Amino acid sequence: MSTAEPVFSNFIRSIIDEDMANGKWAGRVATRFPPEPNGYLHIGHAKSICLNFGLANEYGGTCNLRFDDTNPSKEDVEYVDSIMDTVRWLGFDWQDRLYYASDYFEKLYQYAEALIQKGLAYVDDSTPEEIRAARGTLTEPGQHSPYRGRPTQENLDLFRRMRAGEFPDGSRVLRAKIDMASPNINLRDPTIYRIKHVHHHRTGDQWCIYPMYDYTHCISDALEGITHSICTLEFEDHRPLYDWCLDQLPVPCHPQQIEFARLNLEYTLMSKRKLLLLVQEGHVAGWDDPRMPTLVGLRRRGYTPGAIRAFCERIGVAKRDSLIPMELLEKAVRDDLNLTARRVMAVLDPIKVVIDNYPEGQVEHFEAPYFPDDPPAMGNRPVPFGRELYIEREDFMEEPPKKFWRLAPGREVRLRWAYFVTCTHVVKDDQGRITEVHCTYDPATKGGDAPDGRKVKGTIHWVSAAQSLLATVRLYDRLFTHANPAADKEHDWRQLINPESLKTLTWARLEPSLASAQPGEMFQFERKGFFCADLEEHAAGKPVFNRTVTLRDTWQKIVAADKGK
RNA sequence: UGGGGUGUCGUCAAGCGGUAAGACACGGGUCUUUGGAACCCGCAUUCGCAGGUUCGAAUCCUGCCACCCCAGCCA
């Protein structure tokens, strides 16, 4: 379905190549995709998924799916189910390697006792405020906690009692004893366990202490035999802690953490928190609203897994912050759909056309190819033609500008697959609004070719008024008016939501072949764009289509350029 | 005035001492029963800036500048 993309060099591939050459991991490549089940996956996660699973595939290695579920107060099974669906939909397979950090709670706990035994961790009775105050600042070192010197046995006893549920939330934590004067704040005795009397979606009420990310992630990686632990840039500062934990503990191996720049896409947001607010505050219809950058949203919009994979490969992987143009994502779907979507005709904003010299009541059917670039590939469908048709309102102009090639008084155009027609006159209502465009057709041009060799500059799409299907069509545009809404300092990001991000057309007209369209099916509405039958609301007799992306529109560019002058 | 990163075309991004890949965008053209697609051509004498080393530097050295991240019992 998608053509193979060329493989580009990037710094992670270089690291792996070198490891392969040195035999560092005995030719093994093991990665993992480690989402926290606290939200829906978005296009930024797709970059990470494609990277981790992609690398594993390329090097004949493995990629695990591991839920980083160490904070039960934010997590839910709703999210784990959705994440698994989405990763599969994207086209990746973790086979039998589905893991949860919570599977390691007991081991993690034993390792923590080992740390205490080594004098490298202690129970701190300070309040969260006291801990914060003693942490120091970016330029000043922190102060030792009064509990830092607690004897090993006391630490062990207290930690066991923490596990046993003897203490309330927030009363104590277990901290790694590293260096309160470190210029790297992550090394100033980081908290590795906290007390939370919270029900966990997998372990239930088995635990009331939960390990922190830094402590959990490195050990989970080691337990799974991960070779290359790929994460985003903000964890660069955490790498010394990742390495410290693994150096102190008798873990099976020591994976290498590698950081890359996460994806930023123009005209949208990638923050899980803000995406949640978009949903909660009703700015969008849900996580799968086709305007959302979530993968469920993109899927409902009509984006294909192949397009998303191609996009992720094309944007590359590096360490510098970047903002990717929306056009690149759009280009990726167009490239994919251009090869796979059947071409049909649909009139989004109809205006009636009457062919005055066409016999009243007559209907004929044209066999139109679904894929004109290679007709045998997808076959034909019959398209009815009659005296009354609809064409796109914007395909007619009473006073056409210079480069306008479409219908206008006295102008002859081709009705795709049908006849040449010439506009004779228009009929208007009281308001002066055009209600009908009258034409004559040339019977000799049946099929769309003139036997006399006469050429016509414009070809427009149409549907037969009598046989067309009334449909709802949703036109989606970028969700925000600002290319980087998260970076705008002047406005709250909510003020930057594009009021025209959704236009719902309820009077669109479809050619009758579309009556059998199934939810999720993709089509190209010729000259308008790629559309998909809505996954949720499309039904036979009540068609609902979403515009995935427009076609490249040179005419609009000309119009815009003229306006700019 | 702490630490960690990053600066190569409008936007991404290769390049790893031998004389600036590619993609998107953009401009021009061919073709076209989608102003789509396809195809062709063009598009950084220059790599944040300033010095230095070298026969030779985007690549090495020195200094400077800009931007991003870090003070959760979040991940």
Side-chain angles (χ1 to χ4, degrees):
Chain A
M1 74 175 267
S2 71
T3 46
E5 292 285 322
V7 171
F8 300 107
S9 162
N10 67 47
F11 78 102
I12 299 180
R13 287 186 176 120
S14 302
I15 290 171
I16 298 178
D17 287 341
E18 200 170 317
D19 290 346
M20 294 300 247
N22 299 337
K24 179 175 174 185
W25 297 100
R28 214 162 50 82
V29 172
T31 58
R32 99 268 94 112
F33 172 60
E36 183 189 12
N38 69 344
Y40 285 78
L41 262 25
H42 53 60
I43 183 76
H45 292 110
K47 179 178 180 182
S48 173
I49 295 168
C50 291
L51 224 200
N52 280 294
F53 279 94
L55 252 14
N57 289 160
E58 266 173 57
Y59 290 90
T62 54
C63 179
N64 302 347
L65 174 62
R66 180 171 76 231
F67 287 98
D68 229 322
D69 56 349
T70 58
N71 186 3
S73 35
K74 288 187 176 175
E75 298 153 7
D76 196 281
V77 281
E78 172 196 357
Y79 299 121
V80 344
D81 293 342
S82 159
I83 288 169
M84 289 197 283
D85 277 354
T86 302
V87 174
R88 264 188 230 111
W89 174 76
L90 249 194
F92 298 104
D93 183 5
W94 56 88
Q95 295 169 317
D96 59 346
R97 296 178 314 279
L98 170 64
Y99 302 111
Y100 294 82
S102 55
D103 290 341
Y104 310 133
F105 280 173
E106 184 59 40
K107 280 181 181 163
L108 257 2
Y109 174 86
Q110 295 303 333
Y111 278 132
E113 283 207 354
L115 232 33
I116 293 172
Q117 299 280 16
K118 286 182 78 177
L120 292 174
Y122 61 97
V123 172
D124 194 328
D125 303 356
S126 306
T127 63
E129 296 70 36
E130 286 165 342
I131 289 180
R132 189 183 332 119
R135 186 150 30 225
T137 68
L138 294 179
T139 53
E140 297 161 311
Q143 304 300 315
H144 283 185
S145 158
Y147 304 94
R148 199 177 202 258
R150 191 115 80 174
T152 298
Q153 267 322 114
E154 190 180 330
N155 282 321
L156 218 42
D157 173 60
L158 254 12
F159 187 49
R160 287 172 180 165
R161 290 165 63 195
M162 277 168 65
R163 173 180 185 169
E166 289 189 32
F167 312 117
D169 288 6
S171 59
R172 279 174 238 260
V173 291
L174 183 70
R175 290 229 252 169
K177 189 188 286 186
I178 308 180
D179 178 10
M180 288 306 291
S182 172
N184 181 343
I185 291 183
N186 295 300
L187 262 19
R188 317 242 261 233
D189 290 8
T191 297
I192 58 177
Y193 266 92
R194 72 293 213 187
I195 301 172
K196 268 178 187 277
H197 290 268
V198 174
H199 187 83
H200 186 282
H201 61 99
R202 294 198 82 238
T203 59
D205 297 313
Q206 203 183 327
W207 295 88
C208 63
I209 56 173
Y210 292 96
M212 299 284 288
Y213 166 83
D214 287 302
Y215 176 73
T216 307
H217 204 89
C218 54
I219 295 174
S220 304
D221 281 345
L223 292 174
E224 291 175 20
I226 298 302
T227 57
H228 305 270
S229 178
I230 301 167
C231 63
T232 43
L233 248 34
E234 65 270 27
F235 292 102
E236 218 150 13
D237 287 346
H238 296 240
R239 193 170 64 231
L241 179 51
Y242 183 104
D243 290 332
W244 182 90
C245 289
L246 297 186
D247 285 342
Q248 304 312 321
L249 267 5
V251 290
C253 68
H254 190 139
Q256 178 182 2
Q257 176 177 304
I258 301 168
E259 311 86 9
F260 72 97
R262 63 167 212 259
L263 170 67
N264 295 299
L265 230 203
E266 280 183 353
Y267 299 101
T268 190
L269 289 169
M270 229 56 97
S271 144
K272 273 193 196 176
R273 204 191 104 253
K274 287 175 183 162
L275 293 180
L276 178 62
L277 287 169
L278 280 172
V279 173
Q280 286 178 339
E281 294 174 0
H283 299 109
V284 296
W287 285 102
D288 67 345
D289 185 299
R291 292 166 291 181
M292 292 284 275
T294 50
L295 294 169
V296 285
L298 288 166
R299 169 166 56 175
R300 194 162 171 197
R301 174 85 167 251
Y303 274 75
T304 57
I308 292 173
R309 279 185 256 118
F311 169 74
C312 289
E313 187 57 40
R314 289 179 201 172
I315 57 178
V317 181
K319 299 194 70 159
R320 64 185 86 100
D321 291 316
S322 60
L323 184 60
I324 305 290
M326 201 52 140
E327 286 84 354
L328 207 56
L329 218 209
E330 295 177 339
K331 169 72 173 159
V333 235
R334 285 198 196 103
D335 284 353
D336 187 340
L337 264 17
N338 180 47
L339 268 23
T340 54
R342 281 177 287 174
R343 269 62 168 172
V344 294
M345 293 195 286
V347 175
L348 272 25
D349 182 18
I351 184 170
K352 183 166 281 186
V353 169
V354 181
I355 315 287
D356 291 314
N357 61 339
Y358 194 84
E360 204 131 8
Q362 179 174 315
V363 176
E364 61 187 311
H365 293 266
F366 294 102
E367 282 298 309
Y370 271 124
F371 196 67
D373 287 344
D374 180 19
M378 299 187 193
N380 300 328
R381 83 286 184 187
V383 183
F385 181 89
R387 188 168 193 268
E388 296 200 349
L389 313 170
Y390 289 110
I391 63 165
E392 212 69 65
R393 185 151 227 120
E394 64 175 16
D395 284 341
F396 174 81
M397 280 187 104
E398 244 187 318
E399 293 169 30
K402 298 122 294 183
K403 296 173 199 155
F404 186 85
W405 304 338
R406 283 107 99 152
L407 201 58
R411 186 83 65 87
E412 183 172 53
V413 300
R414 173 189 295 115
L415 292 180
R416 176 145 246 222
W417 311 124
Y419 294 104
F420 282 11
V421 293
T422 303
C423 174
T424 53
H425 64 287
V426 300
V427 175
K428 298 182 181 179
D429 63 13
D430 310 341
Q431 266 76 242
R433 192 174 145 92
I434 299 170
T435 54
E436 287 178 359
V437 174
H438 281 71
C439 298
T440 56
Y441 83 113
D442 176 357
T445 59
K446 183 168 182 171
D449 271 314
D452 62 5
R454 168 165 42 111
K455 295 291 179 197
V456 86
K457 189 74 171 162
T459 299
I460 64 176
H461 61 280
W462 53 275
V463 296
S464 163
Q467 289 85 3
S468 62
L469 272 24
L470 187 63
T472 294
V473 173
R474 297 150 166 168
L475 305 182
Y476 294 103
D477 199 354
R478 34 194 63 155
L479 224 204
F480 291 92
T481 53
H482 191 289
N484 193 359
D488 189 305
K489 303 279 193 284
E490 325 256 291
H491 311 271
D492 179 84
W493 57 275
R494 273 165 274 228
Q495 294 177 264
L496 302 169
I497 294 173
N498 179 6
E500 306 202 321
S501 59
L502 166 61
K503 279 187 203 149
T504 303
L505 309 175
T506 54
W507 297 104
R509 294 279 174 171
L510 315 177
E511 64 165 70
S513 73
L514 251 4
S516 59
Q518 297 300 305
E521 237 185 307
M522 301 295 317
F523 296 91
Q524 183 192 107
F525 289 177
E526 286 197 284
R527 303 209 306 131
K528 299 310 301 181
F530 292 99
F531 292 76
C532 90
D534 189 72
L535 247 9
E536 303 297 326
E537 292 162 40
H538 175 87
K542 193 193 163 292
V544 179
F545 282 86
N546 299 330
R547 182 173 69 195
T548 306
V549 67
T550 61
L551 257 27
R552 194 161 153 262
D553 192 343
T554 334
W555 170 240
Q556 279 312 316
K557 266 186 218 165
I558 294 169
V559 172
D562 280 352
K563 251 186 216 169
K565 278 178 197 167

